């Protein structure tokens, strides 16, 4: 038998490594931006075409490279950042594995132009398939420009796996924002298909945050500052009242590197104890400085996970510093010396923490927020399609069905010879879900005009999402105009009135909607799901008899009364015969 083990040729092993380093265009963006930061750039420009599928270019004004370094940089394990293993434990740079450029160039066409600081020579290197072309380039500014073109051109499986342009762009913006937030002293620029999405001037952190997320954030930032022997904590947390139903506004950094950590997250959430409504997540921009010897960032190829030596202490330090900052904010205006006078907005220390946004709407149909009289109920029914009081199982003999609620959670009723126990919240989700699906399918939704239109200032991210979902949310009844970055909502779906419209609308725009669009699910399905979740009555809500009846009747007029939109069982039935069995031979 001949030997069968071979060493993989570098083109193959690089492609395999690329699978770990580069999942999507956004991963290339991250690697290139980090390289520019490591190269001490003060201005970095990111230019993207077709959400990175055609072109990802990063231009920086950093230290640049010699011709030889340029050639070397594409080789595996080629790095200028560490020399031996000990360096890993005191690493200050973003990269150090020397893998990124080797991987990226194995799955794309790359052009690099660089001029080393203090020299007069600009070189250009072109890598296409197996071809490497090096040539002189006309005089240019000091620094480096890297173009990554036709990503995954030779890995069709990966290319086909990419999501829509819209989704990939969202990932790119996320990568860009994560990095831009941790380097407010660097100027960043993001241009997509000739459209300038972000121009972030060199600034302090507070201003960097508001230039990305909008002015509304600025008024809602609470500074965080704590110094202990284990870690220095700085940054900002967002006031509890602008917490979100998703984790979109959570940014955590260790030694200026964006990380994810479930347990630190838990510690932060816990710091908000009692100040958050159910199902809401706090927003934060937290920076931890920890002695690099006490952490191991080298556990994951994407380096967003991290191991700490002293987890328990870190947990309590973070937890108490959150509590402390919230406390300070609650009783005294916070002095923030970083703040510029023009941005000074006094904290309103009288404000309640968990305030429901006050929204002015005209007559209201949703019965679940406030005590309503029965007349409103009839209105509700006439406004929800399919909402007529049709009898359940008309042809069955109904022995005066009883209906009541227990635990403020279940509605119990009987039909024929069975007892039905219905989860009120899940049932209502199903009702709303089918309502919204139907209205977006046949464009049948009525709109309820607002006497006082609601204005919401959008962030760039939200603007992009809004453009994508406009048709669908129009079809379910939202009517609005967009003027520059401000949406003016003039009319809403009737079932949403009496709910905090601003919040529901922002939820539609902020949430991870863009990540959830899969081929199998349509956008209208996603929106219907989100709306049903936002608007459904909650567990713990006492319901009046008429309300209970409406839920039951509407539920059983649904196409799929058994399952919630999120595939949870809505009700259980107990058959009288089965009950009887329990008592037979006892
Ligand atoms: P790593 O960043 O882990 O060292 P990379 O493959 O990302 O590995 O980059 C390899 C090397 O190329 C870097 O160590 C650096 O010396 C050089 N390099 C990459 N990008 C730039 C840039 N924009 N400016 C200057 N040097 C760069
Ligand atoms: Mg790198």
């Amino acid at each position: 038998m001949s030997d069968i083990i071979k060493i993989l040729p570098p083109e193959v092993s690089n492609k395999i490594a690329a699978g770990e380093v580069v999942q999507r265009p956004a991963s290339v963006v991250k690697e290139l931006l980090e390289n520019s930061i490591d190269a001490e750039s003060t201005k970095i420009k990111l230019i993207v075409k077709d959400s990175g599928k055609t072109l990802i270019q990063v231009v920086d004004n950093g230290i640049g490279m010699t011709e030889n370094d340029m050639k070397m940089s594409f080789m595996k394990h080629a790095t200028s950042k560490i020399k031996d293993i000990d360096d890993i434990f005191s690493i200050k740079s973003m990269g150090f594995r020397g893998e990124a450029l080797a991987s990226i160039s194995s799955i794309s066409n790359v052009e690099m132009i660089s001029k080393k600081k203090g020299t007069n020579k600009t070189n250009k290197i072109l890598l296409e398939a197996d071809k490497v072309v090096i040539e002189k380039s006309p005089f240019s500014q000091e620094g480096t420009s890297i173009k990554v073109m036709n990503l995954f051109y030779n890995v069709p499986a990966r290319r086909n796996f990419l999501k829509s342009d819209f989704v990939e762009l969202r990932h790119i913006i996320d990568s860009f924002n994560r990095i831009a937030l941790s380097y407010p002293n660097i100027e960043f620029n993001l241009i997509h298909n000739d459209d300038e999405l972000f121009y972030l001037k060199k600034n302090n952190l507070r201003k960097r945050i508001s230039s990305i997320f909008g002015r509304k954030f600025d008024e809602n930032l609470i500074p965080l500052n704590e110094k202990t022997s284990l870690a220095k904590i700085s940054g900002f947390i967002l006031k509890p009242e602008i917490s979100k139903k998703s984790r979109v506004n959570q940014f955590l950094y260790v030694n200026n590197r964006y990380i994810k950590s479930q347990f630190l997250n838990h510690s932060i959430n816990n710091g908000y104890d009692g100040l958050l409504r159910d199902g809401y997540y706090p927003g934060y921009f937290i920076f931890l400085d920890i002695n690099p010897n006490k952490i191991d960032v080298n556990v994951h190829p994407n380096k967003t996970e991290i191991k700490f030596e002293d987890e328990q202490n870190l947990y309590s330090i973070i937890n108490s510093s959150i509590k402390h900052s919230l406390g300070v904010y609650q009783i005294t205006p916070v002095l923030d010396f970083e703040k510029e006078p023009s941005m000074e907005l006094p904290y309103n220390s009288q404000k309640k923490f968990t305030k429901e946004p006050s929204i002015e709407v005209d007559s209201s149909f949703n019965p679940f927020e406030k005590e309503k009289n029965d007349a409103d109920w009839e209105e509700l029914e006439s406004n929800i399609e399919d909402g007529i009081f049709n009898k359940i199982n008309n042809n069955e003999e109904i022995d005066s069905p009883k209906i009541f609620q227990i635990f403020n959670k279940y509605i119990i009723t009987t039909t024929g010879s069975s007892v039905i126990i219905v989860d009120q919240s899940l049932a209502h989700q199903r009702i709303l879900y089918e309502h919204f699906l139907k209205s977006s399918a046949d464009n049948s939704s009525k709109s309820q005009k607002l006497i006082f239109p609601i204005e919401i200032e959008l962030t760039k991210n939200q603007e992009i999402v809004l453009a994508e979902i406009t048709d669908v949310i129009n079809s379910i009844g939202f009517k609005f105009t967009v003027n520059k970055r401000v949406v003016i909502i003039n009319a809403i779906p009737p079932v949403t009135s009496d709910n905090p419209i601003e919040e529901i609308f922002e939820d539609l725009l902020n949430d991870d909607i863009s990540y959830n669009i899969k081929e199998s699910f349509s956008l209208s399905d996603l929106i219907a799901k989100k709306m049903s979740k936002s608007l459904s009555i909650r567990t713990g809500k006492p319901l009046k008899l008429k309300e209970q009846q409406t839920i039951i009747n509407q539920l059983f007029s649904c196409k799929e009364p058994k399952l919630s939109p999120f595939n949870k069982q809505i009700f259980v039935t107990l058959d009288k015969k089965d009950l009887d069995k329990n008592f037979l031979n006892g």
Side-chain angles (χ1 to χ4, degrees), residues 147-260:
K147 282 185 182 173
V148 173
M149 294 160 288
N150 306 321
L151 187 64
F152 299 130
Y153 77 96
N154 54 357
V155 200
R158 282 255 165 206
R159 200 168 170 94
N160 296 337
F161 185 72
L162 290 178
K163 299 271 165 62
S164 69
D165 278 6
F166 169 68
V167 174
E168 294 302 338
L169 179 60
R170 269 302 291 266
H171 282 285
I172 288 175
I173 292 175
D174 282 351
S175 284
F176 176 84
N177 285 346
R178 284 171 187 172
I179 288 176
L181 282 167
S182 54
Y183 291 90
N185 56 336
I186 298 179
E187 178 181 302
F188 286 95
N189 217 308
L190 168 52
I191 296 161
H192 179 245
N193 290 345
D194 300 325
D195 183 15
E196 183 168 81
L197 299 185
F198 291 95
Y199 171 48
L200 308 171
K201 280 193 277 202
K202 170 182 156 77
N203 232 313
N204 61 29
L205 175 62
R206 175 185 280 270
K207 271 206 154 184
R208 177 57 52 95
I209 293 171
S210 52
S211 50
I212 294 175
F213 298 99
R215 247 177 314 154
K216 186 174 150 205
F217 267 45
D218 187 61
E219 308 157 19
N220 286 293
L221 294 172
I222 306 172
L224 201 61
N225 266 311
E226 213 79 50
K227 223 174 175 167
T228 71
S229 55
L230 180 61
K232 185 175 153 271
I233 305 169
S234 61
F236 294 91
I237 56 177
L238 282 166
K239 289 185 192 172
E241 56 258 40
I242 63 162
S243 56
K244 290 262 173 258
K245 282 196 189 126
S246 75
R247 302 179 189 274
V248 282
N249 293 329
Q250 301 191 333
F251 295 86
L252 180 61
Y253 297 83
V254 171
N255 297 349
N256 235 18
R257 195 188 287 279
Y258 176 87
I259 63 141
K260 286 188 178 135

Side-chain angles (χ1 to χ4, degrees), residues 31-32 35-36 38-39 41 60 62-65 69 73-75 78-81 94-102 112 114 144 146 303:
E31 294 296 337
L32 297 185
N35 279 348
S36 296
D38 286 342
S41 313
D60 68 41
I63 56 171
M65 276 173 273
D69 281 349
S73 69
F74 293 101
M75 292 166 73
T79 180
S80 54
K81 299 167 195 174
M94 302 295 282
F96 56 83
R97 291 165 164 261
E99 241 171 17
L101 291 184
M112 180 195 269
S114 193
T144 305
I146 301 187
K303 292 171 262 170

Side-chain angles (χ1 to χ4, degrees), residues 528-540:
K529 277 197 180 123
K530 285 176 70 68
M531 291 293 287
S532 74
K533 206 169 171 189
S534 301
L535 296 173
S536 60
I537 50 162
R538 304 273 177 249
T539 298

